[in-house]
mmCIF file of all heavy atoms in Angstrom:
data_model
loop_
_atom_site.group_PDB
_atom_site.id
_atom_site.type_symbol
_atom_site.label_atom_id
_atom_site.label_comp_id
_atom_site.label_asym_id
_atom_site.label_seq_id
_atom_site.Cartn_x
_atom_site.Cartn_y
_atom_site.Cartn_z
ATOM 1 N N VAL A 180 55.928 -3.491 -226.876
ATOM 2 C CA VAL A 180 56.946 -3.651 -225.853
ATOM 3 C C VAL A 180 58.161 -4.468 -226.442
ATOM 4 O O VAL A 180 59.260 -4.261 -225.868
ATOM 5 C CB VAL A 180 56.319 -4.501 -224.606
ATOM 6 C CG1 VAL A 180 57.282 -4.500 -223.458
ATOM 7 C CG2 VAL A 180 54.978 -3.870 -224.261
ATOM 8 N N VAL A 181 57.940 -5.227 -227.463
ATOM 9 C CA VAL A 181 59.020 -6.138 -227.919
ATOM 10 C C VAL A 181 59.636 -5.681 -229.295
ATOM 11 O O VAL A 181 58.859 -5.378 -230.206
ATOM 12 C CB VAL A 181 58.402 -7.599 -228.127
ATOM 13 C CG1 VAL A 181 59.483 -8.498 -228.711
ATOM 14 C CG2 VAL A 181 57.940 -8.099 -226.796
ATOM 15 N N GLU A 182 61.001 -5.588 -229.220
ATOM 16 C CA GLU A 182 61.680 -5.246 -230.462
ATOM 17 C C GLU A 182 62.035 -6.460 -231.252
ATOM 18 O O GLU A 182 61.869 -6.426 -232.515
ATOM 19 C CB GLU A 182 62.979 -4.510 -230.128
ATOM 20 C CG GLU A 182 62.798 -3.102 -229.648
ATOM 21 C CD GLU A 182 62.607 -2.018 -230.797
ATOM 22 O OE1 GLU A 182 62.341 -2.542 -231.931
ATOM 23 O OE2 GLU A 182 62.771 -0.877 -230.557
ATOM 24 N N GLY A 183 62.532 -7.469 -230.601
ATOM 25 C CA GLY A 183 62.894 -8.702 -231.339
ATOM 26 C C GLY A 183 63.618 -9.679 -230.432
ATOM 27 O O GLY A 183 63.847 -9.402 -229.289
ATOM 28 N N ILE A 184 63.975 -10.838 -231.092
ATOM 29 C CA ILE A 184 64.625 -11.937 -230.359
ATOM 30 C C ILE A 184 66.033 -12.078 -230.871
ATOM 31 O O ILE A 184 66.262 -12.309 -232.067
ATOM 32 C CB ILE A 184 63.912 -13.237 -230.475
ATOM 33 C CG1 ILE A 184 62.345 -13.101 -230.313
ATOM 34 C CG2 ILE A 184 64.460 -14.323 -229.498
ATOM 35 C CD1 ILE A 184 61.589 -14.289 -230.784
ATOM 36 N N VAL A 185 66.977 -12.024 -229.993
ATOM 37 C CA VAL A 185 68.388 -12.295 -230.274
ATOM 38 C C VAL A 185 68.641 -13.778 -230.093
ATOM 39 O O VAL A 185 68.043 -14.370 -229.166
ATOM 40 C CB VAL A 185 69.349 -11.449 -229.476
ATOM 41 C CG1 VAL A 185 70.835 -11.779 -229.783
ATOM 42 C CG2 VAL A 185 69.102 -9.998 -229.730
ATOM 43 N N SER A 186 69.353 -14.438 -230.983
ATOM 44 C CA SER A 186 69.892 -15.791 -230.732
ATOM 45 C C SER A 186 68.883 -16.859 -231.141
ATOM 46 O O SER A 186 68.491 -17.699 -230.310
ATOM 47 C CB SER A 186 70.326 -15.995 -229.289
ATOM 48 O OG SER A 186 71.158 -15.012 -228.869
ATOM 49 N N LEU A 187 68.408 -16.872 -232.316
ATOM 50 C CA LEU A 187 67.531 -17.951 -232.834
ATOM 51 C C LEU A 187 68.305 -18.805 -233.825
ATOM 52 O O LEU A 187 67.713 -19.643 -234.506
ATOM 53 C CB LEU A 187 66.267 -17.344 -233.516
ATOM 54 C CG LEU A 187 65.265 -16.761 -232.641
ATOM 55 C CD1 LEU A 187 64.067 -16.293 -233.397
ATOM 56 C CD2 LEU A 187 64.816 -17.733 -231.550
ATOM 57 N N HIS A 188 69.600 -18.613 -233.911
ATOM 58 C CA HIS A 188 70.436 -19.409 -234.795
ATOM 59 C C HIS A 188 71.874 -19.450 -234.296
ATOM 60 O O HIS A 188 72.178 -18.753 -233.271
ATOM 61 C CB HIS A 188 70.389 -18.850 -236.262
ATOM 62 C CG HIS A 188 70.676 -17.336 -236.286
ATOM 63 N ND1 HIS A 188 71.972 -16.880 -236.165
ATOM 64 C CD2 HIS A 188 69.864 -16.271 -236.450
ATOM 65 C CE1 HIS A 188 71.971 -15.586 -236.214
ATOM 66 N NE2 HIS A 188 70.673 -15.163 -236.417
ATOM 67 N N ASP A 189 72.676 -20.228 -234.957
ATOM 68 C CA ASP A 189 74.125 -20.289 -234.539
ATOM 69 C C ASP A 189 75.077 -19.516 -235.442
ATOM 70 O O ASP A 189 76.330 -19.787 -235.384
ATOM 71 C CB ASP A 189 74.580 -21.695 -234.338
ATOM 72 C CG ASP A 189 74.591 -22.511 -235.605
ATOM 73 O OD1 ASP A 189 74.139 -21.970 -236.677
ATOM 74 O OD2 ASP A 189 75.019 -23.664 -235.606
ATOM 75 N N PHE A 190 74.562 -18.708 -236.313
ATOM 76 C CA PHE A 190 75.463 -17.751 -237.109
ATOM 77 C C PHE A 190 75.783 -16.580 -236.235
ATOM 78 O O PHE A 190 74.946 -16.117 -235.449
ATOM 79 C CB PHE A 190 74.776 -17.299 -238.343
ATOM 80 C CG PHE A 190 74.414 -18.416 -239.357
ATOM 81 C CD1 PHE A 190 73.164 -19.082 -239.332
ATOM 82 C CD2 PHE A 190 75.322 -18.798 -240.343
ATOM 83 C CE1 PHE A 190 72.858 -20.065 -240.229
ATOM 84 C CE2 PHE A 190 75.034 -19.782 -241.230
ATOM 85 C CZ PHE A 190 73.793 -20.430 -241.112
ATOM 86 N N HIS A 191 76.981 -16.103 -236.360
ATOM 87 C CA HIS A 191 77.360 -14.896 -235.593
ATOM 88 C C HIS A 191 78.523 -14.168 -236.291
ATOM 89 O O HIS A 191 78.902 -14.575 -237.405
ATOM 90 C CB HIS A 191 77.686 -15.257 -234.131
ATOM 91 C CG HIS A 191 78.686 -16.346 -234.024
ATOM 92 N ND1 HIS A 191 80.010 -16.289 -234.425
ATOM 93 C CD2 HIS A 191 78.588 -17.683 -233.570
ATOM 94 C CE1 HIS A 191 80.666 -17.396 -234.136
ATOM 95 N NE2 HIS A 191 79.794 -18.231 -233.648
ATOM 96 N N GLY A 192 78.990 -13.136 -235.624
ATOM 97 C CA GLY A 192 80.001 -12.348 -236.269
ATOM 98 C C GLY A 192 81.426 -13.011 -236.208
ATOM 99 O O GLY A 192 81.554 -14.169 -235.713
ATOM 100 N N HIS A 193 82.389 -12.281 -236.764
ATOM 101 C CA HIS A 193 83.731 -12.825 -236.839
ATOM 102 C C HIS A 193 84.758 -11.829 -236.350
ATOM 103 O O HIS A 193 84.476 -10.645 -236.335
ATOM 104 C CB HIS A 193 84.046 -13.078 -238.355
ATOM 105 C CG HIS A 193 83.018 -13.972 -239.097
ATOM 106 N ND1 HIS A 193 82.998 -15.299 -239.075
ATOM 107 C CD2 HIS A 193 81.893 -13.558 -239.817
ATOM 108 C CE1 HIS A 193 82.014 -15.747 -239.728
ATOM 109 N NE2 HIS A 193 81.380 -14.714 -240.190
ATOM 110 N N ARG A 194 85.894 -12.342 -235.977
ATOM 111 C CA ARG A 194 86.965 -11.443 -235.507
ATOM 112 C C ARG A 194 87.460 -10.631 -236.685
ATOM 113 O O ARG A 194 87.545 -11.087 -237.787
ATOM 114 C CB ARG A 194 88.074 -12.271 -234.828
ATOM 115 C CG ARG A 194 88.883 -13.061 -235.867
ATOM 116 C CD ARG A 194 89.867 -14.008 -235.162
ATOM 117 N NE ARG A 194 90.857 -14.510 -236.076
ATOM 118 C CZ ARG A 194 91.483 -15.648 -235.948
ATOM 119 N NH1 ARG A 194 91.224 -16.388 -234.853
ATOM 120 N NH2 ARG A 194 92.391 -16.005 -236.829
ATOM 121 N N ALA A 195 87.894 -9.389 -236.356
ATOM 122 C CA ALA A 195 88.449 -8.519 -237.423
ATOM 123 C C ALA A 195 89.949 -8.603 -237.408
ATOM 124 O O ALA A 195 90.682 -7.618 -237.343
ATOM 125 C CB ALA A 195 87.975 -7.083 -237.142
ATOM 126 N N SER A 196 90.490 -9.836 -237.531
ATOM 127 C CA SER A 196 91.986 -10.021 -237.523
ATOM 128 C C SER A 196 92.366 -11.140 -238.397
ATOM 129 O O SER A 196 91.675 -12.061 -238.686
ATOM 130 C CB SER A 196 92.404 -10.256 -236.058
ATOM 131 O OG SER A 196 91.827 -11.399 -235.546
ATOM 132 N N HIS A 197 93.619 -11.077 -238.838
ATOM 133 C CA HIS A 197 94.200 -12.054 -239.761
ATOM 134 C C HIS A 197 95.712 -12.118 -239.441
ATOM 135 O O HIS A 197 96.222 -11.266 -238.765
ATOM 136 C CB HIS A 197 94.059 -11.591 -241.245
ATOM 137 C CG HIS A 197 92.732 -10.971 -241.543
ATOM 138 N ND1 HIS A 197 91.703 -11.718 -242.020
ATOM 139 C CD2 HIS A 197 92.279 -9.724 -241.397
ATOM 140 C CE1 HIS A 197 90.662 -10.923 -242.199
ATOM 141 N NE2 HIS A 197 90.960 -9.752 -241.826
ATOM 142 N N GLY A 198 96.277 -13.227 -239.793
ATOM 143 C CA GLY A 198 97.699 -13.320 -239.528
ATOM 144 C C GLY A 198 98.319 -14.661 -240.009
ATOM 145 O O GLY A 198 97.660 -15.460 -240.635
ATOM 146 N N GLY A 199 99.602 -14.848 -239.647
ATOM 147 C CA GLY A 199 100.260 -16.030 -240.014
ATOM 148 C C GLY A 199 101.610 -16.158 -239.324
ATOM 149 O O GLY A 199 102.044 -15.222 -238.607
ATOM 150 N N PRO A 200 102.327 -17.240 -239.375
ATOM 151 C CA PRO A 200 103.549 -17.440 -238.585
ATOM 152 C C PRO A 200 104.800 -17.208 -239.342
ATOM 153 O O PRO A 200 104.752 -17.103 -240.682
ATOM 154 C CB PRO A 200 103.452 -19.011 -238.260
ATOM 155 C CG PRO A 200 102.803 -19.537 -239.431
ATOM 156 C CD PRO A 200 101.854 -18.568 -239.936
ATOM 157 N N GLY A 201 105.892 -17.133 -238.696
ATOM 158 C CA GLY A 201 107.162 -17.212 -239.237
ATOM 159 C C GLY A 201 107.654 -16.117 -240.235
ATOM 160 O O GLY A 201 108.314 -16.300 -241.228
ATOM 161 N N TRP A 202 107.261 -14.883 -239.904
ATOM 162 C CA TRP A 202 107.677 -13.697 -240.768
ATOM 163 C C TRP A 202 108.964 -13.117 -240.184
ATOM 164 O O TRP A 202 109.032 -12.836 -239.037
ATOM 165 C CB TRP A 202 106.546 -12.738 -240.712
ATOM 166 C CG TRP A 202 106.748 -11.595 -241.753
ATOM 167 C CD1 TRP A 202 107.385 -11.590 -242.907
ATOM 168 C CD2 TRP A 202 106.175 -10.306 -241.605
ATOM 169 N NE1 TRP A 202 107.295 -10.377 -243.521
ATOM 170 C CE2 TRP A 202 106.529 -9.581 -242.743
ATOM 171 C CE3 TRP A 202 105.381 -9.624 -240.675
ATOM 172 C CZ2 TRP A 202 106.180 -8.254 -243.014
ATOM 173 C CZ3 TRP A 202 104.973 -8.352 -240.891
ATOM 174 C CH2 TRP A 202 105.373 -7.707 -242.069
ATOM 175 N N THR A 203 109.939 -12.893 -241.028
ATOM 176 C CA THR A 203 111.200 -12.300 -240.686
ATOM 177 C C THR A 203 111.546 -11.050 -241.441
ATOM 178 O O THR A 203 111.056 -10.908 -242.510
ATOM 179 C CB THR A 203 112.372 -13.292 -240.649
ATOM 180 O OG1 THR A 203 112.670 -13.497 -242.072
ATOM 181 C CG2 THR A 203 112.046 -14.575 -240.015
ATOM 182 N N ASP A 204 112.388 -10.222 -240.973
ATOM 183 C CA ASP A 204 112.814 -9.022 -241.751
ATOM 184 C C ASP A 204 113.538 -9.460 -243.041
ATOM 185 O O ASP A 204 113.444 -8.745 -244.007
ATOM 186 C CB ASP A 204 113.824 -8.233 -240.879
ATOM 187 C CG ASP A 204 113.003 -7.362 -239.869
ATOM 188 O OD1 ASP A 204 111.912 -7.014 -240.149
ATOM 189 O OD2 ASP A 204 113.602 -7.029 -238.898
ATOM 190 N N ALA A 205 114.242 -10.592 -243.031
ATOM 191 C CA ALA A 205 114.972 -11.020 -244.172
ATOM 192 C C ALA A 205 114.079 -11.545 -245.265
ATOM 193 O O ALA A 205 114.463 -11.370 -246.448
ATOM 194 C CB ALA A 205 116.009 -12.069 -243.766
ATOM 195 N N ASN A 206 113.060 -12.143 -244.884
ATOM 196 C CA ASN A 206 112.123 -12.694 -245.899
ATOM 197 C C ASN A 206 110.700 -12.690 -245.303
ATOM 198 O O ASN A 206 110.408 -13.278 -244.411
ATOM 199 C CB ASN A 206 112.534 -14.213 -246.182
ATOM 200 C CG ASN A 206 111.577 -14.873 -247.208
ATOM 201 O OD1 ASN A 206 110.729 -14.229 -247.747
ATOM 202 N ND2 ASN A 206 111.841 -16.027 -247.445
ATOM 203 N N CYS A 207 109.839 -11.860 -246.029
ATOM 204 C CA CYS A 207 108.478 -11.806 -245.589
ATOM 205 C C CYS A 207 107.740 -13.152 -245.515
ATOM 206 O O CYS A 207 106.790 -13.307 -244.797
ATOM 207 C CB CYS A 207 107.695 -10.774 -246.426
ATOM 208 S SG CYS A 207 108.307 -9.114 -246.323
ATOM 209 N N GLY A 208 108.144 -14.075 -246.427
ATOM 210 C CA GLY A 208 107.549 -15.370 -246.320
ATOM 211 C C GLY A 208 106.185 -15.434 -246.829
ATOM 212 O O GLY A 208 105.388 -16.329 -246.415
ATOM 213 N N LEU A 209 105.708 -14.569 -247.701
ATOM 214 C CA LEU A 209 104.376 -14.488 -248.082
ATOM 215 C C LEU A 209 104.134 -14.768 -249.561
ATOM 216 O O LEU A 209 103.168 -14.472 -250.179
ATOM 217 C CB LEU A 209 103.780 -13.064 -247.746
ATOM 218 C CG LEU A 209 103.842 -12.759 -246.248
ATOM 219 C CD1 LEU A 209 103.527 -11.323 -246.008
ATOM 220 C CD2 LEU A 209 102.934 -13.621 -245.514
ATOM 221 N N GLY A 210 105.130 -15.291 -250.227
ATOM 222 C CA GLY A 210 104.992 -15.719 -251.626
ATOM 223 C C GLY A 210 105.045 -14.447 -252.530
ATOM 224 O O GLY A 210 105.654 -13.447 -252.214
ATOM 225 N N THR A 211 104.368 -14.587 -253.606
ATOM 226 C CA THR A 211 104.449 -13.575 -254.661
ATOM 227 C C THR A 211 103.470 -12.418 -254.449
ATOM 228 O O THR A 211 103.422 -11.506 -255.260
ATOM 229 C CB THR A 211 104.166 -14.177 -256.096
ATOM 230 O OG1 THR A 211 102.903 -14.802 -256.091
ATOM 231 C CG2 THR A 211 105.215 -15.236 -256.369
ATOM 232 N N SER A 212 102.648 -12.473 -253.400
ATOM 233 C CA SER A 212 101.650 -11.368 -253.247
ATOM 234 C C SER A 212 102.248 -10.083 -252.649
ATOM 235 O O SER A 212 101.723 -9.060 -252.706
ATOM 236 C CB SER A 212 100.490 -11.897 -252.379
ATOM 237 O OG SER A 212 100.940 -12.161 -251.096
ATOM 238 N N ASP A 213 103.437 -10.248 -251.989
ATOM 239 C CA ASP A 213 103.974 -9.078 -251.397
ATOM 240 C C ASP A 213 104.697 -8.221 -252.436
ATOM 241 O O ASP A 213 105.161 -8.746 -253.488
ATOM 242 C CB ASP A 213 104.997 -9.421 -250.200
ATOM 243 C CG ASP A 213 106.025 -10.477 -250.699
ATOM 244 O OD1 ASP A 213 105.774 -11.177 -251.637
ATOM 245 O OD2 ASP A 213 107.021 -10.575 -249.990
ATOM 246 N N LEU A 214 104.862 -6.945 -252.196
ATOM 247 C CA LEU A 214 105.403 -6.012 -253.186
ATOM 248 C C LEU A 214 106.892 -5.849 -252.997
ATOM 249 O O LEU A 214 107.570 -5.349 -253.870
ATOM 250 C CB LEU A 214 104.683 -4.674 -253.044
ATOM 251 C CG LEU A 214 103.162 -4.736 -253.448
ATOM 252 C CD1 LEU A 214 102.532 -3.345 -253.352
ATOM 253 C CD2 LEU A 214 102.915 -5.279 -254.888
ATOM 254 N N ILE A 215 107.371 -6.057 -251.817
ATOM 255 C CA ILE A 215 108.783 -5.848 -251.541
ATOM 256 C C ILE A 215 109.342 -7.024 -250.724
ATOM 257 O O ILE A 215 108.656 -7.752 -250.072
ATOM 258 C CB ILE A 215 109.020 -4.518 -250.761
ATOM 259 C CG1 ILE A 215 108.290 -4.560 -249.431
ATOM 260 C CG2 ILE A 215 108.568 -3.304 -251.557
ATOM 261 C CD1 ILE A 215 108.602 -3.443 -248.504
ATOM 262 N N PRO A 216 110.643 -7.268 -250.838
ATOM 263 C CA PRO A 216 111.205 -8.428 -250.144
ATOM 264 C C PRO A 216 111.496 -8.157 -248.634
ATOM 265 O O PRO A 216 111.578 -9.134 -247.898
ATOM 266 C CB PRO A 216 112.551 -8.657 -250.885
ATOM 267 C CG PRO A 216 112.914 -7.343 -251.431
ATOM 268 C CD PRO A 216 111.584 -6.704 -251.739
ATOM 269 N N ASN A 217 111.592 -6.939 -248.244
ATOM 270 C CA ASN A 217 111.878 -6.611 -246.831
ATOM 271 C C ASN A 217 110.679 -6.046 -246.146
ATOM 272 O O ASN A 217 109.935 -5.309 -246.718
ATOM 273 C CB ASN A 217 113.072 -5.662 -246.745
ATOM 274 C CG ASN A 217 114.331 -6.268 -247.342
ATOM 275 O OD1 ASN A 217 114.706 -7.376 -247.048
ATOM 276 N ND2 ASN A 217 115.045 -5.476 -248.187
ATOM 277 N N CYS A 218 110.551 -6.344 -244.859
ATOM 278 C CA CYS A 218 109.359 -5.953 -244.139
ATOM 279 C C CYS A 218 109.826 -5.099 -242.872
ATOM 280 O O CYS A 218 110.879 -5.343 -242.335
ATOM 281 C CB CYS A 218 108.634 -7.128 -243.658
ATOM 282 S SG CYS A 218 107.981 -8.164 -245.074
ATOM 283 N N TYR A 219 108.911 -4.247 -242.543
ATOM 284 C CA TYR A 219 109.148 -3.398 -241.372
ATOM 285 C C TYR A 219 108.014 -3.660 -240.376
ATOM 286 O O TYR A 219 106.859 -3.123 -240.527
ATOM 287 C CB TYR A 219 109.231 -1.904 -241.806
ATOM 288 C CG TYR A 219 110.347 -1.587 -242.693
ATOM 289 C CD1 TYR A 219 110.188 -1.794 -244.105
ATOM 290 C CD2 TYR A 219 111.601 -1.185 -242.260
ATOM 291 C CE1 TYR A 219 111.202 -1.490 -245.028
ATOM 292 C CE2 TYR A 219 112.574 -0.918 -243.181
ATOM 293 C CZ TYR A 219 112.417 -1.102 -244.469
ATOM 294 O OH TYR A 219 113.442 -0.868 -245.374
ATOM 295 N N PHE A 220 108.344 -4.444 -239.330
ATOM 296 C CA PHE A 220 107.326 -4.705 -238.260
ATOM 297 C C PHE A 220 106.876 -3.413 -237.680
ATOM 298 O O PHE A 220 107.693 -2.467 -237.482
ATOM 299 C CB PHE A 220 107.937 -5.554 -237.197
ATOM 300 C CG PHE A 220 108.296 -6.958 -237.596
ATOM 301 C CD1 PHE A 220 109.559 -7.414 -237.532
ATOM 302 C CD2 PHE A 220 107.268 -7.852 -237.987
ATOM 303 C CE1 PHE A 220 109.866 -8.741 -237.905
ATOM 304 C CE2 PHE A 220 107.512 -9.108 -238.336
ATOM 305 C CZ PHE A 220 108.850 -9.637 -238.271
ATOM 306 N N VAL A 221 105.621 -3.347 -237.319
ATOM 307 C CA VAL A 221 105.068 -2.233 -236.566
ATOM 308 C C VAL A 221 104.908 -2.692 -235.156
ATOM 309 O O VAL A 221 104.011 -3.485 -234.800
ATOM 310 C CB VAL A 221 103.796 -1.730 -237.139
ATOM 311 C CG1 VAL A 221 103.204 -0.547 -236.354
ATOM 312 C CG2 VAL A 221 103.939 -1.360 -238.630
#
Side-chain angles (χ1 to χ4, degrees):
V180 191
V181 176
E182 287 277 17
I184 315 166
V185 176
S186 308
L187 289 182
H188 52 73
D189 64 353
F190 295 92
H191 51 66
H193 308 273
R194 70 187 195 206
S196 58
H197 318 266
W202 189 27
T203 71
D204 280 334
N206 180 3
C207 294
L209 299 170
T211 58
S212 65
D213 52 339
L214 298 179
I215 59 172
N217 297 315
C218 300
Y219 298 85
F220 291 119
V221 180

